[in-house]
Amino acid sequence: MNVSELKSEFIKRYGEGPVAGFFAPGRVNLIGEHTDYNGGFVFPCALSFGNYCLIRKTGRPTVMFASLNMDFEAEVSLDNLDKPVGKEWVNYPIGVFAQFLKKGIRFTEGADMLFYGDVPPGAGLSSSAAIEVVTGVAINEMYGVGLPRVEIVKMAQKAEHEFAGVMCGIMDQFASGMGAKDHAVYLNCDTLDYELVPLKLDGVKIVIANTNSPHKLDSGKYNERVRECHAAVDALKPYKNIVQLADIQVDEFEALKDHIKDETVMRRARHVVTEIDRTRRAVDYLKEGNVEAFGKLMLASHHSLRDDYEVTGPELDAMFEAAVKEDGVIGTRMTGGGFGGCTVSLVKNEAVDEFISRVGAEYKAVTGLTPQFYVAETGDGGKRLF
Ligand code: GLA
């Protein structure tokens, strides 16, 4: 759906009058998985697809939430923008309004809002971060709040914690809010210092493969990993002064890991510590133009997510195995939270078509599921369109 079609949809639903349009992208993470809530590095890029929010202030004391993707709609009074509505999608935008209220921002008039997303939902490409960020950017501008973008990013993350119950790190919202076309975001999730690194991928494309596995990121498993990481920190604290897993280097970890008595917790921590190190090295390689070395670290990342962190599952592993043996594949791994969703691969231009047909066929033969492929186009972080 293009921008003028979206405008007509808005007018059809809410009537003639002025309307503003905003957009925030989904993301694909190239490397640095499950490191963000441990204060580590991540390296995602913003995509060209994401979530749109069309909005008009109305003077009425309610906010209307509707979506072209979902049937459920809600009209919420300005006094109730701090409470979830059942288990509905509207909790993402309401959760963002709630963060503005928490900051003491008062809304004296409501709005009509229409959302539309073209990120495949549940694919691990951050459709939820996109809707949170686009809402934050739209409110910030329409109501003249004027918060810096990074505040909006943090509020979007809080909305996810408080209204979706996922104790996520900041990667997705940050990529959606701060990403830039043809760049990846090299983010230190502890300090929020970041660098936009040009994606120098001469002759290589980023291919996203959606497993279409019905099992998507579930908050229970995700939050369990978060707790396991905290348990690892507690076990290591008597031996080294750390507050998070990013505070320990790989060699120190190797020397101290036997103090973590729970073997599962030790493996979770080993993934995080080694993944932070891989991310740092991978970004150095990319800056040197050594895409091959970057790709090898992607493979190591997948192995670690599969064996130590145990967030891959049969579908992501089947996609990985099908991809890894193809000619022209420089690197491949699961991306996002895991438990289904997508892999991301670096594939030589001339091999992309063959990759899609062969990996697709093999994946289907192994799992019985039909995958989808997207040759990723990067895009800019959240912005006003009109
Ligand atoms: C989800 C979370 C992110 C991050 C990834 C795993 O996408 O929202 O914060 O933890 O999983 O890297």
Side-chain angles (χ1 to χ4, degrees):
M1 186 152 318
N2 63 35
V3 163
S4 72
E5 287 167 332
L6 284 173
K7 265 191 200 166
S8 339
E9 289 291 336
F10 185 95
I11 304 244
K12 214 159 65 186
R13 184 174 300 256
Y14 295 120
E16 292 290 342
V19 47
F22 296 83
F23 171 81
R27 63 94 189 94
V28 64
N29 188 22
L30 299 178
I31 195 160
E33 217 66 84
H34 289 279
T35 53
D36 58 354
Y37 51 84
N38 292 294
F41 290 104
V42 292
F43 196 50
C45 36
L47 295 169
S48 59
F49 45 53
N51 216 293
Y52 297 79
C53 169
L54 279 70
I55 178 166
R56 169 192 294 158
K57 292 209 304 201
T58 57
R60 289 197 314 271
T62 57
V63 180
M64 270 299 308
F65 298 96
S67 159
L68 294 175
N69 304 89
M70 307 282 180
D71 289 336
F72 183 85
E73 318 188 344
E75 180 168 16
V76 179
S77 118
L78 290 176
D79 303 330
N80 283 329
L81 288 170
D82 54 354
K83 298 172 197 68
V85 175
K87 289 207 174 305
E88 295 294 343
W89 71 270
V90 291
N91 288 331
Y92 291 111
I94 293 176
V96 175
F97 266 106
Q99 303 310 315
F100 280 93
L101 293 177
K102 276 196 171 172
K103 284 197 177 293
I105 316 292
R106 291 288 161 259
F107 298 97
T108 50
E109 74 172 302
D112 288 336
M113 299 176 91
L114 180 66
F115 292 89
Y116 169 69
D118 56 6
V119 188
L125 301 175
S126 296
S127 53
S128 59
I131 189 168
E132 289 152 1
V133 171
V134 80
T135 306
V137 172
I139 298 173
N140 198 40
E141 183 158 335
M142 295 302 287
Y143 288 90
V145 185
L147 290 172
R149 178 59 60 90
V150 70
E151 278 310 310
I152 302 294
V153 164
K154 290 188 204 164
M155 289 156 75
Q157 179 197 20
K158 283 231 179 77
E160 181 88 27
H161 288 182
E162 293 169 13
F163 281 69
V166 180
M167 298 313 287
C168 63
I170 199 154
M171 167 170 73
D172 303 348
Q173 291 79 7
F174 201 95
S176 181
M178 315 291 275
K181 189 167 170 51
D182 299 325
H183 292 74
V185 186
Y186 182 37
L187 171 66
N188 177 330
C189 298
D190 183 30
T191 59
L192 299 191
D193 288 338
Y194 73 104
E195 184 186 343
L196 293 174
V197 179
L199 278 173
K200 280 190 282 177
L201 294 172
D202 291 340
V204 172
K205 294 255 186 289
I206 300 171
V207 182
I208 298 171
N210 187 349
T211 60
N212 274 327
S213 150
H215 187 180
K216 59 182 175 95
L217 175 64
D218 90 56
S219 57
K221 286 262 195 293
Y222 186 91
N223 294 345
E224 179 184 271
R225 294 298 180 279
V226 176
R227 283 195 301 274
E228 287 165 338
C229 291
H230 292 160
V233 171
D234 289 342
L236 290 170
K237 261 187 187 156
Y239 310 96
K240 185 171 161 63
N241 185 15
I242 60 171
V243 292
Q244 55 192 353
L245 286 173
D247 299 338
I248 188 161
Q249 307 300 313
V250 175
D251 50 350
E252 293 172 301
F253 179 80
E254 279 303 316
L256 296 176
K257 69 172 194 276
D258 292 343
H259 294 300
I260 307 178
K261 295 299 172 217
D262 183 325
E263 201 260 346
T264 305
V265 169
M266 188 283 292
R267 285 188 292 111
R268 304 296 190 246
R270 183 167 61 193
H271 163 72
V272 173
V273 172
T274 58
E275 181 78 354
I276 293 171
D277 181 59
R278 277 187 291 275
T279 307
R280 209 184 281 125
R281 287 190 289 139
V283 174
D284 285 345
Y285 282 134
L286 189 73
K287 288 180 179 170
E288 290 163 12
N290 189 348
V291 184
E292 298 282 340
F294 187 99
K296 292 219 169 64
L297 289 170
M298 291 174 79
L299 304 184
S301 167
H302 186 91
H303 290 149
S304 177
L305 287 156
R306 180 190 65 197
D307 302 334
D308 275 351
Y309 221 62
E310 296 181 277
V311 292
T312 56
E315 294 86 5
L316 283 167
D317 287 333
M319 193 74 87
F320 173 83
E321 291 304 333
V324 80
K325 57 187 185 223
E326 281 301 310
D327 284 344
V329 172
I330 291 166
T332 183
R333 55 183 288 279
M334 61 152 269
T335 185
F339 308 108
C342 292
T343 63
V344 58
S345 307
L346 298 181
V347 184
K348 290 189 178 147
N349 284 352
E350 62 278 10
V352 169
D353 291 344
E354 185 89 337
F355 172 89
I356 291 176
S357 68
R358 289 170 54 95
V359 173
E362 171 154 348
Y363 174 77
K364 185 165 187 184
V366 173
T367 63
L369 297 167
T370 305
Q372 261 150 358
F373 293 87
Y374 320 92
V375 177
E377 272 182 53
T378 59
D380 289 330
K383 60 185 172 195
R384 184 169 186 163
L385 297 175
F386 53 86

